[in-house]
Amino acid sequence: MDIEPYAPGCGALVSGIQLSSLTDTELLQIREAFVSHGLLFFRDQVFTPAEHLRFARRYGDIVLNKFFAPVKGFPDIAEVRKEKHHQTNIGGGWHTDHSYDETPALGSILVARDLPDTGGDTHFANLYAAYEALSPGLKKTLEGLRALHSNKHIYGKDGYYRGTDIADQLGGINDVSDATHPVVIIHPESGRKALYVNPGHTIQFEGWGFDESRALLNYLYTHVDQPEFTCQFDWQPGSVTFWDNRATWHFAQNDYQGQARLMHRITLAGVGLEGV
Ligand code: SIN
């Protein structure tokens, strides 16, 4: 197995293995690489939905997404689907999956199933590196803070997606929820500090006003979205990405109007997050 950095400070490309037939030693190496890099890319995988499910189950417990349609015959695999006639895509802005859950997801395993001829890349950000680059003063301000995360404004009755052309493919309108988490977490596996707020789901800091929170959150979002903390993955048939939701953000670029894109996602269950 070969594991090399994908982009400076952002992800690793794993080659020389098939996720469908990993030995126990290879699985261990993938676990170690996942903890070190927080973001793994794989190319040229032959990976049926049943093999996707088997790899996920070997790695950990699965958490169901309440909003995305399941793949037929595979209730644990969620579809991230955009049809030719859709204008809107799923996950088109920076976010972290499931930060609105009391126990946020460990990670997500995304498999390319049907790709547009051009476009549809996924962007990623490294939230360890972004945190480490903050000034000592700002780190001190953030440590000890907690923030409210929610999905109501996205998937709820009046949420963003309900007014779009993909509303009919999303369920869970009454399953919305929110949760609070530390703003700087100690990653449960690496022990490193990471910034744990994201533009998609973080609403405000606990004990702060909404506008006060937005001012600092917007500063942090601009800080994270810089070339030194981010990278872009161009999907090809056989590509798979496995990211750590406690250490990264991602978004799917919506630049392929008139073409379809279908991805299969399995989300892995995490643990409660401890702060600094
Ligand atoms: C997601 O936000 O989980 C989907 C990302 C993508 O489709 O590239």
Side-chain angles (χ1 to χ4, degrees), residues 68 80-81 89-93 95-97 108 110 120-124 155 161 233 235 243 245 250-253 256 261-263 265 267:
F68 302 172
V80 178
R81 180 186 285 279
N89 72 336
I90 291 177
H95 66 284
T96 301
D97 298 334
S108 305
L110 192 70
D121 288 3
T122 306
H123 296 247
F124 293 92
Y155 299 107
Y161 282 129
F233 186 65
W235 293 93
W243 63 81
N245 283 308
H250 60 278
F251 81 88
Q253 194 162 324
Y256 54 97
R261 180 177 182 271
L262 175 65
M263 316 295 274
R265 194 180 95 189
T267 312

Side-chain angles (χ1 to χ4, degrees), residues 68-257:
F68 302 172
V71 172
K72 205 161 170 238
F74 293 92
D76 294 320
I77 308 180
E79 280 189 351
V80 178
R81 180 186 285 279
K82 185 179 182 219
E83 304 279 13
K84 275 185 189 174
H85 62 277
H86 286 147
Q87 296 293 310
T88 314
N89 72 336
I90 291 177
W94 281 120
H95 66 284
T96 301
D97 298 334
H98 289 230
S99 73
Y100 45 75
D101 286 345
E102 208 51 58
T103 306
L106 174 152
S108 305
I109 309 160
L110 192 70
V111 180
R113 294 295 177 204
D114 181 17
L115 294 171
D117 291 339
T118 56
D121 288 3
T122 306
H123 296 247
F124 293 92
N126 177 339
L127 274 292
Y128 289 132
Y131 170 76
E132 283 157 14
L134 295 172
S135 69
L138 184 48
K139 284 179 180 161
K140 203 158 174 236
T141 301
L142 298 175
E143 292 179 4
L145 279 182
R146 295 180 66 81
L148 174 70
H149 297 243
S150 182
N151 52 29
K152 292 179 181 158
H153 59 295
I154 301 175
Y155 299 107
K157 195 163 93 34
D158 300 317
Y160 166 73
Y161 282 129
R162 304 298 169 188
T164 69
D165 57 351
I166 57 168
D168 59 349
Q169 74 176 43
L170 295 169
I173 199 161
N174 296 315
D175 291 330
V176 288
S177 59
D178 43 39
T180 65
H181 302 295
V183 168
V184 180
I185 59 163
I186 303 283
H187 189 282
E189 290 163 63
S190 69
R192 291 174 67 188
K193 292 180 186 174
L195 189 61
Y196 195 72
V197 288
N198 69 87
H201 301 302
T202 309
I203 307 297
Q204 67 182 96
F205 299 119
E206 213 170 55
W208 288 39
F210 182 78
D211 291 343
E212 292 169 335
S213 301
R214 291 324 296 181
L216 181 49
L217 285 170
N218 287 337
Y219 173 81
L220 294 171
Y221 297 159
T222 305
H223 166 75
V224 175
D225 189 5
Q226 297 191 72
E228 58 265 49
F229 310 128
T230 55
C231 56
Q232 180 169 352
F233 186 65
D234 59 317
W235 293 93
Q236 291 161 18
S239 296
V240 177
T241 298
F242 182 18
W243 63 81
D244 186 330
N245 283 308
R246 293 82 49 94
T248 59
W249 290 350
H250 60 278
F251 81 88
Q253 194 162 324
N254 190 6
D255 58 351
Y256 54 97
Q257 297 302 358

